[in-house]
Amino acid sequence: MPDSTIDLQRILAETFVARAEHHPTLGSTNDRARECLGDGGPTPLLVVADRQTRGRGRGTNRWWTWPGCLAFSLLLSPETTPSDPRRRPLVALAAGLAVVDAIRPLVDRQPVGLHWPNDVFVGDRKLAGVLVEVPSEGSHIVGIGVNTNNSLADAPEEIRDRAITLYDLTGRRHNQTGILVEILKHFQRALDQVRECPDALGARANELCLQIGRTLAIRNGAESATGRCAGIAPNGALLLDTPDGRREFHGGTLG
Ligand code: BTN
């Protein structure tokens, strides 16, 4: 067993994960999950790494995975995910909501919520990020990085004033397997919701959106806009009140 506290047997027994791998070091857990696509093994496949040397975020972002971080990816088959591509943004929101639900009991009275499209923030600082990739028709790779038992004291300078970790928030270390099990249980329920009652999931994301009322600038390809955030629509889109009226964004990068 590598030098961390990930208990794969417990995860396999208590969650919807059908196959699991734990690596001391990987380039990126999303890349490893992609290698397993089409290998005929059971899914959902969970890939966890204690360290990533090429952890990726959305766009050109990197994801720093230093000791104590929780970094993992799930390879999901088309049966588990929505077949309608218009519902795909909800998969990322479902992952963000699962992290919020798992973390909230550990940080009582702190404002834990979402930053569209799928970041988890505590107050003004980022605790977790989600990277969803759809490598082949219908299969999804959902990568999640959560700052759990790491400390900002060891973080690169560039993220020290924007990030937060569970350890720094609570002053104690947490059981990584326990957190992972909770995230996976909440995520399974949220994925059921994406298929069965997607509007309810969108409404929940809206309730937990911490950006409402803030001025946001978004760029989506050639299109860009600035406006006051009016929340998250039932379909998972970002709502911005712009000088041209209310607009919906189904994708894009916030400035
Ligand atoms: C973001 O904030 O832009 C998304 C960050 C996603 C990071 C996770 S860590 C596990 C998985 N493997 C990766 O390379 N990235 C995701």
Side-chain angles (χ1 to χ4, degrees):
M1 190 99 154
D3 65 332
S4 93
T5 54
I6 299 296
D7 179 349
L8 293 185
Q9 292 314 316
R10 178 176 166 201
I11 291 164
L12 289 166
E14 295 186 19
T15 74
F16 73 147
V17 166
R19 180 166 50 133
E21 295 180 357
H22 179 202
H23 301 263
T25 304
L26 274 181
S28 155
T29 54
N30 267 38
D31 293 347
R32 172 63 194 148
R34 188 183 287 249
E35 282 169 15
C36 299
L37 185 71
D39 68 2
T43 56
L45 161 70
L46 172 73
V47 180
V48 193
D50 299 333
R51 293 189 183 109
Q52 297 184 111
T53 53
R54 290 188 307 278
R56 293 186 280 111
R58 285 188 308 280
T60 56
N61 293 345
R62 292 179 65 185
W63 182 262
W64 295 98
T65 315
W66 72 96
C69 276
L70 181 57
F72 64 95
S73 299
L74 280 169
L75 172 62
L76 301 171
S77 67
E79 294 76 56
T80 325
T81 48
S83 50
D84 182 346
R86 285 169 304 180
R87 289 196 184 168
R88 282 187 188 153
L90 290 172
V91 173
L93 283 173
L97 284 171
V99 175
V100 171
D101 287 336
I103 294 296
R104 220 155 37 165
L106 305 175
V107 291
D108 55 5
R109 293 198 297 273
Q110 311 250 24
V112 186
L114 291 176
H115 272 209
W116 187 92
N118 42 28
D119 290 334
V120 176
F121 270 64
V122 180
D124 272 342
R125 286 168 172 266
K126 182 161 164 172
L127 182 85
V130 176
L131 175 65
V132 177
E133 298 175 314
V134 186
S136 78
E137 205 39 57
S139 292
H140 284 57
I141 294 171
V142 180
I144 302 182
V146 191
N147 292 321
T148 48
N149 289 335
N150 46 335
S151 168
L152 284 180
D154 306 318
E157 191 70 45
E158 66 205 70
I159 63 169
R160 248 180 237 167
D161 57 349
R162 309 186 261 130
I164 194 65
T165 80
L166 200 50
Y167 174 77
D168 289 334
L169 279 169
T170 61
R172 66 183 179 92
R173 299 199 188 281
H174 296 262
N175 182 304
Q176 298 272 59
T177 303
I179 293 174
L180 186 45
V181 163
E182 285 306 307
I183 292 173
L184 292 167
K185 285 182 177 171
H186 286 294
F187 187 44
Q188 182 185 13
R189 276 184 227 123
L191 282 175
D192 290 344
Q193 240 185 349
V194 171
R195 286 192 310 272
E196 290 156 18
C197 45
D199 287 8
L201 186 114
R204 181 108 209 291
N206 183 54
E207 278 167 26
L208 289 167
C209 178
L210 296 174
Q211 296 148 301
I212 293 175
R214 294 193 189 175
T215 299
L216 302 177
I218 189 165
R219 178 174 291 281
N220 191 16
E223 198 185 18
S224 63
T226 299
R228 190 174 161 277
C229 176
I232 295 173
N235 62 14
L238 177 72
L239 298 173
L240 282 191
D241 287 333
T242 73
D244 304 325
R246 182 161 292 183
R247 293 179 62 186
E248 271 193 17
F249 291 87
H250 296 266
T253 309
L254 293 175

